Amino acid sequence: EKYEKILMEYYIGMNFLQKKFTVGNKDDCVKLSFSWKDSYTGEKKQSKSDMALELNSVLYNLAAVMNNIGVHTPLEGEAIKTCSQKFQEAAWLFEHIKKTSDSLAPSCRSYDFTIENLQYHSLIQLAQSQYCFFKKAESGSMSPAILTKITYQLRSFFEEATKYAAVKKLSKKDSAKSVTEISQFYLSYYNAIAHYYKGLELKARAEDAGSGMGLAEGHIKYALDQLEAINPSDAGLKASIKNRIKAVEAEYT
């Protein structure tokens, strides 16, 4: 979290400096040069006329730091709320940068600051925040009705993110194909989980009403089929799918 504090203090300082001094190439201006590399393409961008590139790049990195705090913090106890908040703050920053990066000169604009990339990252942050709610609700044995609503919302974030992932450029760290595959995996996974809990919700109603069990089993069977069709390459994800399949089979049979 110290990096989060450093970036925030630096941003505040540079923003204050921008209001007090004029940065540019003229004799009566403060001459400063700011250089950054695009995180996807590695392309170097430099600005000598204003601080827009510097300020937007700092915000981008701040959002990345907040994401890392959420990702690497164990989701236990009150830490779940903290992680959820960090993801939400990161999502807000990516949304905010969509507006502030409009002032960037064409020569300073990189792929990091495209609408598609910023929107994708914003949606992924919202999905991760929603996952925190899902984990807390599921571990707390909340009703299938509540879990259904949470999971459908989680699925919708990945559904929207998948659309933007399809237009992401090839990067040094990962390919557009892998980004799309990961997004598609979580879309399919949480779509299945949403149908599973919808099935449990309808099953409870059917048991009380004495009818409607066929519709409930239909949702559960659909969830089972979807899970069995998912074939991730990651060993950890494979184990997660296997455990989910066992739970769904127990309800269906």
Side-chain angles (χ1 to χ4, degrees):
E1 294 184 3
K2 68 176 182 179
Y3 295 110
E4 178 185 3
K5 183 179 180 181
I6 290 172
L7 286 171
M8 290 179 69
E9 290 178 346
Y10 178 74
Y11 178 83
I12 292 171
M14 294 302 288
N15 202 33
F16 176 80
L17 183 66
Q18 179 180 235
K19 294 177 181 179
K20 295 295 182 179
F21 301 96
T22 302
V23 178
N25 297 318
K26 296 181 180 180
D27 293 336
D28 60 344
C29 296
V30 176
K31 296 178 175 61
L32 296 173
S33 179
F34 305 102
S35 298
W36 288 87
K37 283 187 177 182
D38 184 86
S39 65
Y40 281 88
T41 65
E43 181 183 9
K44 185 177 181 180
K45 295 292 182 178
Q46 186 176 55
S47 173
K48 295 182 179 180
S49 59
D50 60 57
M51 289 195 288
L53 174 62
E54 182 76 355
L55 292 174
N56 280 286
S57 296
V58 171
L59 288 180
Y60 192 97
N61 281 341
L62 179 58
V65 168
M66 289 178 171
N67 169 73
N68 286 340
I69 292 174
V71 169
H72 296 292
T73 300
L75 295 180
E76 301 171 352
E78 291 300 312
I80 294 179
K81 293 182 180 179
T82 301
C83 292
S84 178
Q85 182 179 345
K86 290 300 178 184
F87 290 135
Q88 289 180 34
E89 290 172 354
W92 182 88
L93 281 173
F94 284 123
E95 281 292 325
H96 180 68
I97 296 170
K98 284 164 58 178
K99 301 175 183 178
T100 59
S101 61
D102 284 343
S103 61
L104 286 173
S107 60
C108 297
R109 184 170 292 279
S110 67
Y111 181 71
D112 279 339
F113 299 118
T114 60
I115 295 297
E116 293 82 5
N117 184 57
L118 292 169
Q119 187 64 33
Y120 172 80
H121 283 299
S122 179
L123 288 164
I124 290 299
Q125 298 308 310
L126 291 174
Q128 290 182 118
S129 177
Q130 187 73 2
Y131 170 73
C132 292
F133 285 111
F134 170 73
K135 181 175 177 61
K136 188 174 181 63
E138 190 174 48
S139 61
S141 300
M142 289 192 178
S143 69
I146 293 176
L147 287 165
T148 298
K149 292 178 180 179
I150 294 175
T151 315
Y152 271 124
Q153 182 62 63
L154 183 53
R155 183 199 67 175
S156 70
F157 286 134
F158 281 113
E159 183 175 26
E160 191 68 16
T162 300
K163 297 176 184 177
Y164 288 99
V167 297
K168 286 173 72 65
K169 292 182 179 179
L170 190 69
S171 74
K172 292 182 177 180
K173 298 178 182 178
D174 54 18
S175 68
K177 182 179 179 182
S178 67
V179 171
T180 303
E181 286 178 348
I182 292 171
S183 300
Q184 185 61 54
F185 163 78
Y186 284 111
L187 169 58
S188 300
Y189 179 74
Y190 286 111
N191 181 52
I193 302 306
H195 278 279
Y196 168 65
Y197 279 115
K198 186 63 178 179
L200 294 187
E201 177 188 355
L202 294 174
K203 185 177 181 180
R205 292 182 189 175
E207 289 173 348
D208 292 335
S211 63
M213 190 61 73
L215 180 59
E217 290 185 348
H219 277 281
I220 297 174
K221 179 62 166 61
Y222 179 83
L224 182 59
D225 291 341
Q226 288 285 297
L227 289 171
E228 289 178 338
I230 300 174
N231 185 30
S233 56
D234 182 79
L237 294 179
K238 281 183 178 293
S240 179
I241 291 292
K242 186 176 180 180
N243 290 333
R244 283 289 179 181
I245 289 176
K246 288 182 179 179
V248 176
E249 283 178 336
E251 290 292 340
Y252 181 66
T253 56

